[in-house]
Amino acid sequence: MQTHVSTTPFGRRPMKLGQISSQMVAKAVKPDAVAHKWQVFQDIREARELLGATDRSLAILNALLTFHPETALTGDAELIVWPSNEQLAARANGMPATTLRRHIAVLVDCGLVIRRDSPNGKRFARKGRGGEIEQAYGFDLSPLVARAQELHDLAEAVHAERRAFRVAKERLTLLRRDIVKLIDTGVEESVPGNWGKVLLDYQAIISRLPRSAPRQLVEAISAELAALYADIREALESFTKTQNPDANESHSGRHIQNSNPDLHIESEHSLRNKKEAGGSVAETDNVRSLPKRELPLGIVLDACPGVLELVQGGEIRHWRDFLAAAELVRPMLGISPSAWREAQEALGEQHAAITLAAIYQRVDQIGSPGGYLRSLTDRARDGKFSTWPMIMALLRVKLDAQRIGRDTERPRSAGSSEGGGLHVSEALLKSLNKPKGR
């Protein structure tokens, strides 16, 4: 008795060219081909994203494999299983019927199983008089045997991609760590170079790295960081080669000398003589009379507008943005990490950032910002330094400049509020306008 092997799905389900392709692959399987069903299933699970399979469809495939009694799938064996939807749902952890049908369709579309539907859509097997199966209607597992090597290769490709991605992320992490530490070394050891620009170049590269980046982008950014690392390393090695033991000692001496607070008394004195003591701790009566409280961020930014130029968008809304801007200012001023840590310990993170912004505002009048910061740090430890007088002095300079500008342009009444400029409260303005000698 001749039987016809069904190749189209039952009911309204359409036939697709992909299904015909899967049937052609299954038909071409060699009779001596053998595949371990659980090994094939493991390969499918590893390569499921490449195949387009879902976790639910894999749960159904796992259940279908349990209905085949043999572990080894051979090309010359009957590989059709015919569980009912109820039996299949039970072995798929109680999956709802609608979900079951939807993900069976996924398995068919992925070419992992073939539908062998009966005339009425039921799944069953017809047996002969001797008990052998003459005709079965259900799901054909022969594509798993035919595609066993292909599925194994896909799984290996996924493993290789994961390894490559892991190596790329490790390289990126190492490059980031090395570059940051080498920049700190260059600043700490006073190696000639524009370390502030190097740091900005590094941050510009890292800013293009999203939270979840593909391997290709990670490798591209790592390549740029590797070039930057090579330049930094070459600069440090070249400087090291030019130094002999005696030169190293003199270099260390010069570095310690730059950190000596006593060397900057003259710089502070010159600032006071110019009445532009924004980077000093000028202790005048009117400034000392201000109340001891936290500085508002708006006043700090009015006194130190220079930090706004370093921030993307030129806007600082919160203290955390201000602290981040201070991290950019520190290497640009050539201040060593150790001096910065000492300042943060003595002043606190926020006031250390305010001090750094004030120094940056008057950097053209300060010979050595690093040494000057150490001087202020020592005074802070002795209780002789506060950020209030420093910021108030900067505001005084700004108000004086605005006043001179208005007088130069045209006379204006004392109560006039025309034009832009710095706006402060009446109490603060009265304190700032108080004569120094009183």
Side-chain angles (χ1 to χ4, degrees):
M1 181 178 64
Q2 291 183 338
T3 59
H4 175 72
V5 178
S6 174
T7 59
T8 59
F10 170 77
R12 298 181 179 179
R13 300 187 189 98
M15 187 66 182
K16 300 179 181 178
L17 291 178
Q19 296 175 20
I20 296 177
S21 176
S22 299
Q23 293 171 5
M24 293 172 60
V25 171
K27 189 176 181 180
V29 64
K30 296 179 180 180
D32 58 348
V34 180
H36 191 292
K37 66 180 182 180
W38 298 122
Q39 181 59 54
V40 175
F41 179 75
Q42 178 65 24
D43 292 337
I44 293 173
R45 187 167 61 181
E46 293 292 334
R48 68 172 187 170
E49 292 184 358
L50 297 179
L51 294 169
T54 61
D55 54 347
R56 296 291 185 90
S57 64
L58 292 187
I60 296 172
L61 179 60
N62 180 78
L64 287 174
L65 291 175
T66 63
F67 286 101
H68 192 277
E70 302 296 332
T71 301
L73 305 179
T74 59
D76 58 351
E78 186 68 36
L79 300 179
I80 298 178
V81 292
W82 54 91
S84 65
N85 280 351
E86 291 76 12
Q87 293 172 323
L88 192 56
R91 295 199 186 184
N93 304 319
M95 188 178 297
T98 54
T99 305
L100 186 73
R101 288 192 293 270
R102 185 169 64 254
H103 290 283
I104 287 175
V106 172
L107 289 177
V108 175
D109 291 340
C110 292
L112 298 177
V113 298
I114 297 174
R115 287 183 181 274
R116 302 296 186 188
D117 289 347
S118 66
N120 61 1
K122 301 293 184 180
R123 303 184 197 114
F124 62 92
R126 182 182 297 112
K127 297 183 180 181
R129 292 183 179 182
E132 71 279 3
I133 296 176
E134 292 182 348
Q135 182 72 38
Y137 297 101
F139 298 104
D140 189 352
L141 303 178
S142 57
L144 302 182
V145 182
R147 300 181 62 187
Q149 185 59 46
E150 175 195 350
L151 296 172
H152 180 71
D153 293 341
L154 288 176
E156 288 296 318
V158 170
H159 282 301
E161 175 65 21
R162 288 176 182 171
R163 286 194 295 269
F165 199 8
R166 184 170 61 252
V167 171
K169 289 193 292 185
E170 289 174 356
R171 183 190 183 204
L172 177 66
T173 300
L174 292 175
L175 284 169
R176 294 181 66 173
R177 184 185 70 190
D178 289 349
I179 289 175
V180 170
K181 287 185 177 291
L182 289 180
I183 291 176
D184 284 344
T185 300
V187 175
E188 184 81 28
E189 300 294 336
S190 298
V191 178
N194 191 351
W195 296 109
K197 182 181 181 302
V198 174
L199 181 60
L200 290 177
D201 292 342
Y202 165 74
Q203 291 174 337
I205 296 174
I206 292 299
S207 65
R208 303 197 335 261
L209 185 67
R211 185 178 296 274
S212 297
R215 176 180 58 84
Q216 293 77 7
L217 180 59
V218 172
E219 290 180 344
I221 290 179
S222 295
E224 294 185 39
L225 291 179
L228 181 62
Y229 168 81
D231 293 340
I232 297 173
R233 186 77 185 185
E234 182 181 359
L236 295 178
E237 289 180 354
S238 299
F239 180 76
T240 303
K241 289 178 182 179
T242 61
Q243 306 299 304
N244 53 42
D246 293 335
N248 283 335
E249 293 178 7
S250 63
H251 168 66
S252 299
R254 287 194 300 271
H255 176 66
I256 296 173
Q257 185 181 10
N258 287 340
S259 302
N260 189 343
D262 295 337
L263 293 178
H264 305 284
I265 297 176
E266 181 180 352
S267 176
E268 296 173 50
H269 181 68
S270 64
L271 292 181
R272 286 194 294 267
N273 288 341
K274 294 181 180 181
K275 296 177 64 179
E276 295 182 357
S280 69
V281 283
E283 297 179 347
T284 57
D285 292 339
N286 63 314
V287 174
R288 275 199 302 250
S289 64
L290 290 172
K292 304 299 182 183
R293 61 177 183 269
E294 291 297 320
L295 280 161
L297 179 59
I299 289 181
V300 174
L301 294 178
D302 282 338
C304 310
V307 295
L308 295 173
E309 301 172 359
L310 307 177
V311 181
Q312 188 174 4
E315 187 176 10
I316 294 178
R317 295 184 178 181
H318 308 284
W319 278 112
R320 62 175 178 272
D321 301 331
F322 186 78
L323 297 178
E327 293 296 335
L328 297 176
V329 171
R330 195 268 303 171
M332 296 182 68
L333 293 177
I335 294 174
S336 66
S338 60
W340 179 232
R341 284 192 300 270
E342 292 174 6
Q344 288 178 314
E345 292 172 0
L347 293 164
E349 189 177 16
Q350 181 172 312
H351 286 283
I354 294 173
T355 303
L356 206 62
I359 293 176
Y360 182 73
Q361 191 64 30
R362 292 299 182 190
V363 65
D364 57 332
Q365 301 177 14
I366 299 176
S368 175
Y372 185 54
L373 180 63
R374 289 184 184 273
S375 173
L376 299 182
T377 301
D378 291 340
R379 294 188 182 188
R381 290 195 188 99
D382 297 335
K384 298 180 180 179
F385 171 70
S386 171
T387 54
W388 258 102
M390 172 178 279
I391 295 301
M392 293 304 106
L394 280 170
L395 289 176
R396 178 191 293 278
V397 172
K398 194 169 184 179
L399 286 171
D400 289 345
Q402 291 179 2
R403 186 181 298 112
I404 293 173
R406 288 195 299 267
D407 294 343
T408 302
E409 291 175 4
R410 58 187 174 88
R412 181 174 297 179
S413 61
S416 176
S417 58
E418 298 177 9
L422 182 64
H423 300 279
V424 297
S425 65
E426 293 184 5
L428 183 58
L429 184 61
K430 182 178 180 181
S431 178
L432 290 173
N433 291 331
K434 189 176 180 181
K436 292 184 178 181
R438 297 181 184 177

